[in-house]
Amino acid sequence: MFKINDYIIYGGTGVCQIADIRKEELCGDETEYYILHPVYAHNMTIKTPVNTKILMRRVLTKEEVLTLIAAMPHKETCWIQDQKERSIAFKAALKSREIEEMIKIIRTIYLEKQTNAKKITKTDLDLMNAAENQLCEEFAIALNIQPADVIPFIQSQITSLGALQEST
C-alpha cells in the first residue's frame, strides 16, 4: 500500500501524488480510497479505490533511473518491419507504462530514424514522442528536475559514461 505524498504511476494518467487516503462508506460497505493529484495535469483530482484493477506502481527511485540510463546504450531494439504490427506492438508497450518498454520504443525508433529515415512514419514518431513523454515525466520526479531537462540529462550522462569507459 502506498502512503500520503508518495508518487505513483496511475493508469493512463501518468505520474500522480497521493494527497490523501480515506475510508468512505457506500451502501453499507466501507472502502478505502486514494486521492490522487496528477503532477502534470493541474486542477485535477482522482479518487480511486486502493484495490483498483487500474495499474498503479511506485515511481522509480533516482538510483533506479541512473542505472537505467547507464544501460540505455546497450538495450536491445525491436524493429518490426510490418508497420501495422509495429504500431500494435508499440501501442501495447506504451499502455503497459513499463519504463523498460518505453526505452525500447525510443531507442528502436531513434536508431531506425538514424539509419533509414524514409521508413519512419508519423505514427512511429508519435509513438516515440508518447514514450519520451512518459519516460521524461517519471524520470523528472525521480531526478527532481523538469521533464524538459530529462533528455539533455540523459545525453550528458551517456556521454560522461562513454568518456569514462574510453579512459579505462
Side-chain angles (χ1 to χ4, degrees):
M1 189 162 143
F2 303 110
K3 302 181 304 278
I4 293 174
N5 293 324
D6 281 354
Y7 286 99
I8 65 167
I9 300 298
Y10 178 72
T13 305
V15 181
C16 294
Q17 187 173 30
I18 298 176
D20 198 8
I21 302 170
R22 298 182 191 152
K23 287 185 181 179
E24 294 183 11
E25 192 173 314
L26 183 66
C27 300
D29 288 332
E30 192 174 78
T31 304
E32 200 165 19
Y33 292 92
Y34 290 124
I35 308 301
L36 308 175
H37 290 158
V39 174
Y40 301 106
H42 304 293
N43 301 323
M44 183 180 192
T45 300
I46 299 169
K47 179 177 162 183
T48 187
V50 168
N51 61 350
T52 185
K53 300 277 188 244
I54 296 173
L55 169 86
M56 280 195 292
R57 67 168 174 79
R58 68 175 177 77
V59 168
L60 298 173
T61 65
K62 181 177 183 176
E63 293 73 25
E64 290 168 328
V65 167
L66 293 174
T67 299
L68 282 168
I69 291 171
M72 279 181 182
H74 312 291
K75 291 288 180 193
E76 67 177 273
T77 60
C78 58
W79 186 256
I80 300 167
Q81 290 300 325
D82 183 86
Q83 180 181 344
K84 192 173 188 176
E85 287 179 30
R86 183 172 64 247
S87 178
I88 291 168
F90 286 179
K91 284 178 183 175
L94 275 173
K95 191 175 179 182
S96 78
R97 307 273 321 174
E98 291 297 322
I99 288 294
E100 295 274 351
E101 293 297 313
M102 301 307 113
I103 294 169
K104 188 184 289 186
I105 291 169
I106 295 164
R107 184 166 158 69
T108 298
I109 296 173
Y110 177 80
L111 290 175
E112 191 64 28
K113 186 177 169 185
Q114 296 299 326
T115 58
N116 199 349
K118 289 182 182 177
K119 275 190 181 179
I120 302 301
T121 66
K122 181 179 180 334
T123 301
D124 292 327
L125 292 175
D126 290 346
L127 289 166
M128 184 173 80
N129 289 336
E132 280 182 352
N133 287 338
Q134 287 183 21
L135 181 134
C136 288
E137 288 180 358
E138 184 166 359
F139 279 23
I141 293 295
L143 298 168
N144 198 28
I145 60 176
Q146 293 299 312
D149 297 331
V150 171
I151 299 294
F153 178 85
I154 290 171
Q155 291 169 335
S156 71
Q157 290 294 299
I158 290 173
T159 301
S160 297
L161 288 169
L164 210 117
Q165 289 173 349
E166 287 175 9
S167 68
T168 55

